[in-house]
């Protein structure tokens, strides 16, 4: 199991295992947690995951991190290639792709997104599963969207969510957007995800506003079974750990 989860910024997380580091959607790391972790464990390999090319999810600095480490990059196919050298160890991913044989026996499956790029299901050799949604969410704004736009958003999200649930009805860790710009229903996508998939540890992300609203877990509309099976975490300050 993961020994530590560290919030970097926006949708960025560092996940530490005894023998490997996983870095998701590195955009900024004001607390310098990634550099410090790599310095303290020079023999641990590191896998960098990027879900899509938005600048709050992708920073070319990842290609300069951990240069003395064994590194692998798992990148969405919409990432620009101008910063990438031919000799970089990269697995390019589109929705539906699977890559295996990564360090420590990691398997990665890419699912769709309701915005750009992909979402990732990462399965460790012992079966431990991490889901990072990227910008997958039920994106709609009740105050601005038309009824038809809202319905289309629901349908698009449901198709991808159902596909994820078929492959992974339960995950150990889930990182999922709860963007307060969506207003009163900012947690709707997260509520659907948590109701559909058995999540052991849930981390909201991509707040884009006051974290208190995104982390108002008592205000989430969830079946009682979710509160019994899921630990909810609110990492909102860069460098915070769980």
């Amino acid at each position: 199991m993961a020994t530590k989860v560290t919030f970097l910024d926006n949708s960025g997380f560092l996940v530490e295992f005894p023998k490997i580091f996983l870095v998701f959607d590195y955009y900024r790391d004001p607390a310098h947690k990634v550099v410090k972790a790599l310095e303290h464990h020079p023999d641990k390999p590191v896998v960098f995951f990027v879900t899509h090319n938005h600048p709050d999810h992708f920073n070319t600095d990842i290609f300069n991190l951990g240069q003395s480490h064994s590194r692998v990059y798992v990148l969405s196919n919409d990432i620009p290639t101008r910063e990438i050298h031919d000799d970089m160890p990269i697995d390019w991913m589109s929705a539906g792709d699977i890559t295996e044989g990564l360090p420590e026996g990691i398997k990665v499956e890419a699912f769709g997104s309701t915005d750009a790029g992909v979402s990732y299901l990462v399965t460790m050799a012992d079966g431990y599963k991490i889901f990072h949604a990227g910008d997958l969410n039920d994106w709609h704004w009740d105050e601005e969207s038309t009824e038809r736009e809202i319905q289309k958003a629901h349908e698009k999200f449901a198709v991808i969510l159902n596909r994820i649930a078929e492959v992974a009805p339960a995950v150990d860790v889930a990182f999922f957007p709860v963007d307060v710009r969506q207003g009163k229903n900012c947690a709707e996508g997260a509520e659907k995800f948590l109701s559909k998939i058995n999540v052991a540890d849930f981390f909201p992300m991509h707040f884009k506003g006051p974290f208190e609203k995104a982390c108002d877990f008592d205000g989430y509309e969830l079946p009682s079974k979710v509160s019994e099976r899921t630990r909810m975490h609110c990492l909102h300050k860069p460098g915070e750990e769980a």
Side-chain angles (χ1 to χ4, degrees), residues 203-216:
F203 295 82
M205 63 182 187
H206 203 277
F207 303 136
K208 299 299 184 185
F211 73 88
E212 293 90 348
K213 185 173 182 180
C215 292
D216 179 19

Side-chain angles (χ1 to χ4, degrees), residues 4-7 14 33 203 233 235 237-242:
K4 188 188 298 181
V5 174
T6 303
F7 177 61
L14 167 66
K33 288 293 186 174
F203 295 82
H233 303 270
L235 302 186
K237 182 179 178 182
E240 282 190 318
E241 302 170 347

